[in-house]
Amino acid sequence: MDARVTRFEPQMRPPDEGGSFPSPFDELGPAELARQAAKVLQRELRDGFVAPGLPTSLLEDAEGGKMFGVLVVRLLDGSLGFLRAFSGMLAGQWDVAGFVPPVFDREARARIEPEGEAMVKALHARAVAMRGAPELRSLRAEHAAQSERHASELALMREQHEARRKARHARRSELTRPATTGQVSPPEENRAALHALDQESRGDKAERRRLEALQQEERQRIEPLLARIERRLRAMDRLRQMGSRALMRRIHDTYVITSARGEQRPLRQLFEQGQPPSGAADCAAPKLFAYAYVHGLRPLALAEFWWGAPPPAGGRVSGAYYASCREKCAPLLPFMLEGLSVAPPRTFSPPVAASTSATGELSILFEDAWLVVIHKPEGLLSVPGREASLSDSVLTRLRARYPQATGPLLVHRLDLDTSGLLVAALDSRTHSALQHQFVHREVSKRYVAWVEGLVRGEEGRIDFPMRVDLHDRPRQIHDPVHGKPAVTEWRVLERRDGRTRVAFFPLTGRTHQLRVHASHPLGLGAPIVGDRLYGRDGERLMLHAESLTLQHPGTGSTVTFQCPAPF
């Protein structure tokens, strides 16, 4: 038997012949058949080795873990087994015993890659050398010092001129004040003094122009030289990028993708403008399907899961299942699955009990002429979704309950999975006043959550920037370059049964802020219990907004609203 096929022992009952292959993009997790195969691989990983000579500990380094996949297949004799794969390379290797090989043509790639990589590395080395050249470093340092000195000179002159301007203004007021009743113009001596003040004002402007001209002359001795070197650097970077793209195109041309019905297409043909992202077809799923088709194995179910340390950007938890990625696999897998009967992907939808009710009643905790405070249940949207089936929401119910209300009503939102306090304004002026408080961090918010594991320490502050994952919405990731500031303070309330109850105090209001700050290693490193996006799915997300303190726009008094967590 093929060493890359693991038979089920004891043999599992095969699914019906007419059944559909579960979609790789299913948001509700893999089929039970695939989960059983994944558990076998996870047990081996937990025992300490990915393969002979490759310890699982290598997945715990700073680069993070790895996405693994299993594909349950019907073997030629009708029995069931499964294939295993990992995304990309593992420990610098494409081939690891027991795992399926990569998709590309090895011989073709061997002819292309060494020479192409040598060229790209040489260009990169030249760019690094140019950036580190003594002449460039010296010019940049001189330009920075010059810019700082020029700014200081201008700031000092502005300060002096402003003081003289104020003195002139005061003197003019004295000289133009009528000395006697009925006097309409200043006496002759005052007019002379006023003229002198005007001359002084013009002198200040002339002094400013002379300084700016002198500074411009000084800059001309450095900036053209610096600009010339910077242009050469940019040209070198463009050349390196062109070389890198050309190499990647040639590498992509070593991939030929096969569908379940046996049709073949070049990889670049499957992506818009023929530009696959780096690593396309190197994910676990394409490797698994390609191997199955070559060896006449019929795919039955797929599961992909993360194992090891989370990636630097966050968003992955060891042992959790994930749908196939949208950036690399969404353009690729539909073609590979042509010839199979594939079930439509299941998408997450709110629990029926929370999202729909016969009366559509809201749980109102407080209301007056200005505002309303609601207890939003877990599973009810704050605002309607794009699809018609997601029209029910807090906002929809508010508009039905308060038809006379004006303005946007909801002042802030809670995630679909989060329960707790929401504030709505019944008129535009109140809405504007409340939103101003939220934007300027004048509202005190307290959330309560249960997180997985025992959190170290008793309290702290989490501060790292976040942004949406453009290739995997709505997930948010840590991004120190393009992310927006996100700050949360926290305090441990209780530890029990391998979990920690935590109070969160968000100082900013980024999407999924608490969920990311809880799960990411730069935060607590402990996902919130039941977090289907950043941890493991559960009965519900154990996150609840339990307290809000703000200034009442109508009365001006400070008010606090509370709603204890239901868990």
Side-chain angles (χ1 to χ4, degrees):
M1 186 181 74
D2 190 333
R4 293 190 175 95
V5 177
T6 303
R7 285 186 182 270
F8 283 108
E9 297 296 345
Q11 271 291 307
M12 301 182 67
R13 181 185 175 190
D16 296 336
E17 283 292 338
S20 296
F21 185 89
S23 171
F25 305 102
D26 198 311
E27 293 180 5
L28 302 187
E32 182 59 30
L33 193 61
R35 288 177 186 265
Q36 292 303 316
K39 287 177 182 177
V40 175
L41 176 52
Q42 289 173 0
R43 188 163 55 245
E44 295 174 11
L45 296 172
R46 204 173 286 114
D47 287 342
F49 285 90
V50 181
L54 285 179
T56 311
S57 58
L58 63 85
L59 300 172
E60 298 296 339
D61 63 17
E63 292 301 312
K66 181 68 65 177
M67 191 71 78
F68 288 85
V70 292
L71 180 67
V72 179
V73 293
R74 190 186 303 278
L75 307 181
L76 297 177
D77 62 5
S79 62
L80 298 189
F82 69 88
L83 305 170
R84 60 187 73 194
F86 50 83
S87 62
M89 303 175 76
L90 184 58
Q93 303 174 46
W94 286 110
D95 292 288
V96 172
F99 290 83
V100 301
V103 177
F104 55 79
D105 182 320
R106 295 173 183 279
E107 292 184 5
R109 185 157 179 161
R111 290 193 298 269
I112 294 167
E113 198 164 28
E115 181 183 348
E117 283 191 344
M119 177 198 67
V120 172
K121 286 178 180 178
L123 291 172
H124 177 70
R126 286 177 60 186
V128 169
M130 288 177 66
R131 283 192 172 81
E135 180 187 7
L136 178 59
R137 288 205 305 268
S138 175
L139 279 173
R140 282 177 170 171
E142 189 177 352
H143 185 257
Q146 185 187 77
S147 298
E148 186 176 349
R149 176 169 56 80
H150 286 178
S152 296
E153 290 171 351
L154 283 171
L156 177 60
M157 181 174 284
R158 278 195 297 267
E159 188 178 329
Q160 293 170 343
H161 287 181
E162 179 63 16
R164 293 209 287 262
R165 186 192 67 78
K166 289 180 178 178
R168 288 194 299 271
H169 180 74
R171 181 64 177 144
R172 280 195 183 94
S173 296
E174 291 178 9
L175 293 172
T176 56
R177 186 181 301 118
T180 59
T181 304
Q183 182 178 327
V184 295
S185 62
E188 185 66 31
E189 61 271 19
N190 287 9
R191 285 199 293 274
L194 287 168
H195 178 70
L197 292 175
D198 291 340
Q199 289 292 93
E200 183 182 315
S201 177
R202 285 191 284 272
D204 284 353
K205 292 176 182 177
E207 184 181 30
R208 170 71 179 265
R209 287 194 295 271
R210 285 194 297 273
L211 177 60
E212 289 175 341
L214 179 62
Q215 289 183 348
Q216 177 64 19
E217 185 180 338
E218 287 185 2
R219 285 195 295 271
Q220 285 302 310
R221 291 199 292 269
I222 296 176
E223 289 181 348
L225 294 174
L226 188 58
R228 189 157 52 246
I229 296 176
E230 298 282 8
R231 282 196 298 272
R232 286 167 54 198
L233 263 177
R234 288 194 294 273
M236 178 58 68
D237 283 338
R238 285 195 297 272
L239 184 61
R240 178 177 55 82
Q241 290 167 3
M242 289 169 60
S244 182
R245 284 196 293 267
L247 173 61
M248 189 55 64
R249 281 195 297 271
R250 295 181 69 194
I251 288 176
H252 283 152
D253 286 339
T254 67
Y255 292 75
V256 175
I257 308 303
T258 304
S259 73
R261 62 164 58 101
E263 294 179 357
Q264 292 188 326
R265 287 189 193 173
L267 174 65
R268 291 204 289 126
Q269 205 176 90
L270 298 173
F271 285 83
E272 188 176 349
Q273 298 178 345
Q275 295 181 351
S278 178
D282 292 330
C283 293
K287 291 183 183 181
L288 290 165
F289 288 119
Y291 189 86
Y293 298 156
V294 167
H295 293 82
L297 308 176
R298 180 175 177 77
L300 299 177
L302 171 76
E304 293 180 278
F305 62 90
W306 184 266
W307 197 269
R316 294 288 183 266
V317 176
S318 188
Y321 294 102
Y322 296 93
S324 294
C325 67
R326 293 174 184 158
E327 180 195 17
K328 300 174 185 178
C329 291
L332 185 65
L333 293 186
F335 170 72
M336 297 191 82
L337 293 171
E338 287 182 6
L340 295 178
S341 172
V342 181
R346 298 175 299 165
T347 57
F348 178 82
S349 58
V352 174
S355 65
T356 58
S357 69
T359 61
E361 286 296 320
L362 289 169
S363 177
I364 305 296
L365 303 181
F366 174 88
E367 64 179 324
D368 61 16
W370 295 277
L371 56 86
V372 181
V373 181
I374 306 112
H375 173 202
K376 185 191 90 67
E378 174 266 338
L380 179 63
L381 292 164
S382 293
V383 298
R386 293 180 180 179
E387 300 175 20
S389 60
L390 300 177
S391 61
D392 188 25
S393 67
V394 172
L395 181 59
T396 306
R397 297 182 184 187
L398 278 172
R399 292 209 179 279
R401 182 183 176 99
Y402 301 99
Q404 78 286 357
T406 60
L409 285 178
L410 277 185
V411 180
H412 62 123
R413 301 180 187 181
L414 292 177
D415 293 343
L416 169 73
D417 302 332
T418 305
S419 59
L421 293 167
L422 267 181
V423 179
L426 296 178
D427 61 81
S428 298
R429 180 175 295 181
T430 301
H431 184 275
S432 179
L434 287 171
Q435 198 165 63
H436 181 276
Q437 293 183 48
F438 275 91
V439 168
H440 291 85
R441 305 182 188 178
E442 296 168 358
V443 177
S444 297
K445 295 174 281 186
R446 170 186 162 107
Y447 289 71
V448 170
W450 278 103
V451 302
E452 300 283 4
L454 301 178
V455 173
R456 288 190 235 175
E458 298 303 316
E459 60 183 22
R461 181 184 177 98
I462 304 167
D463 183 355
F464 63 77
M466 296 166 42
R467 67 166 174 83
V468 66
D469 185 344
L470 299 174
H471 305 302
D472 194 13
R473 297 174 185 271
R475 281 190 174 86
Q476 309 290 312
I477 57 175
H478 164 51
D479 186 338
V481 178
H482 304 291
K484 294 182 179 179
V487 184
T488 303
E489 294 179 347
W490 59 272
R491 184 171 70 247
V492 168
L493 302 176
E494 180 184 356
R495 293 181 177 88
R496 179 170 20 113
D497 299 331
R499 293 175 173 176
T500 307
R501 187 177 176 87
V502 180
F504 288 112
F505 306 91
L507 304 184
T508 54
R510 305 298 172 211
T511 301
H512 296 178
Q513 176 175 314
L514 300 183
R515 298 166 71 171
V516 175
H517 277 181
S519 64
H520 198 280
L522 293 177
L524 297 184
I528 295 174
V529 174
D531 194 337
R532 60 189 173 86
L533 291 180
Y534 305 98
R536 293 181 180 83
D537 202 1
E539 186 176 337
R540 67 152 291 174
L541 178 71
M542 295 291 189
L543 177 63
H544 179 82
E546 76 165 13
S547 177
L548 272 174
T549 299
L550 49 84
Q551 185 180 49
H552 194 296
T555 65
S557 60
T558 299
V559 291
T560 296
F561 305 103
Q562 294 184 331
C563 179
F567 47 78

